[in-house]
Amino acid sequence: MKITQNRGFYSILMALFLMVSHATFSQTNTVSYGTGLNLKQFTFRVTDTPQVAIVQDKVHIAISSFKGLTLEIKGFPLKQLECGKLVYGKTCKFKLTVNKQLYCSKLEEYSNTIGVVCLGNNLYKLYVKSVVYKGAERIKLNAQLNCRIKNEYEY
């Protein structure tokens, strides 16, 4: 008798669990940027997928939103695409375009990093952390990208 009385409650509880677990394991691409502690958060739509190109063993990744926000990673060495590796972006360049304003990273800056998490089947989750500049203006950039990258160096 009590089970049937609480069936609605258990149904709601199960639905909440399914929604939370879907959100936890979702493959969203996000960017946060700004100065100080209050960074602006942006989540790309599911249809805004990163475009990946490999040219001369360098990975180039770009993702754009319908609202004009674009993130580019250029020149990431393919041979550094290893599971669990934190790669210092001293050889690659990060670009962020927000409201038609272009911000670029500086080469040889050690605060620029890419954390690599392997998801299997050539899928990777990249955690990007950078400082980008537009003239003297400096902003922080954090991003989480889910990409399919064919890594010829995997065994």
Side-chain angles (χ1 to χ4, degrees):
M1 182 101 161
K2 286 189 176 187
I3 293 175
T4 57
Q5 289 175 342
N6 294 325
R7 187 178 301 182
F9 174 73
Y10 289 123
S11 297
I12 292 171
L13 201 60
M14 183 59 90
L16 285 173
F17 172 75
L18 290 173
M19 287 188 324
V20 168
S21 53
H22 176 69
T24 302
F25 299 111
S26 69
Q27 299 295 314
T28 58
N29 297 297
T30 60
V31 171
S32 56
Y33 59 93
T35 57
L37 298 175
N38 296 325
L39 302 180
K40 295 178 184 176
Q41 303 285 328
F42 184 82
T43 301
F44 289 93
R45 296 184 307 183
V46 176
T47 55
D48 297 331
T49 57
Q51 302 300 309
V52 178
I54 299 174
V55 179
Q56 297 177 351
D57 293 331
K58 302 278 186 182
V59 180
H60 305 287
I61 302 168
I63 185 168
S64 295
S65 77
F66 69 100
K67 292 187 176 185
L69 187 130
T70 302
L71 173 64
E72 296 177 68
I73 302 169
K74 292 188 170 203
F76 178 71
L78 183 62
K79 63 183 174 184
Q80 291 186 348
L81 189 65
E82 296 178 25
C83 300
K85 186 166 186 173
L86 181 64
V87 178
Y88 292 96
K90 59 184 179 177
T91 59
C92 59
K93 191 148 184 126
F94 303 95
K95 292 183 178 182
L96 177 70
T97 305
V98 181
N99 299 325
K100 298 182 183 177
Q101 303 294 314
L102 176 63
Y103 297 86
C104 298
S105 67
K106 295 179 180 178
L107 292 177
E108 300 296 327
E109 189 159 326
Y110 287 94
S111 62
N112 300 330
T113 59
I114 300 174
V116 180
V117 175
C118 297
L119 303 174
N121 198 23
N122 294 321
L123 291 173
Y124 297 88
K125 184 177 294 273
L126 303 178
Y127 293 96
V128 176
K129 188 172 184 178
S130 179
V131 175
V132 289
Y133 301 87
K134 183 181 138 257
E137 186 180 357
R138 166 190 164 152
I139 63 172
K140 295 177 189 175
L141 166 67
N142 297 316
Q144 176 181 312
L145 300 176
N146 297 286
C147 305
R148 181 175 302 278
I149 304 170
K150 177 74 171 127
N151 185 353
E152 299 169 1
Y153 295 99
E154 282 184 334
Y155 300 104

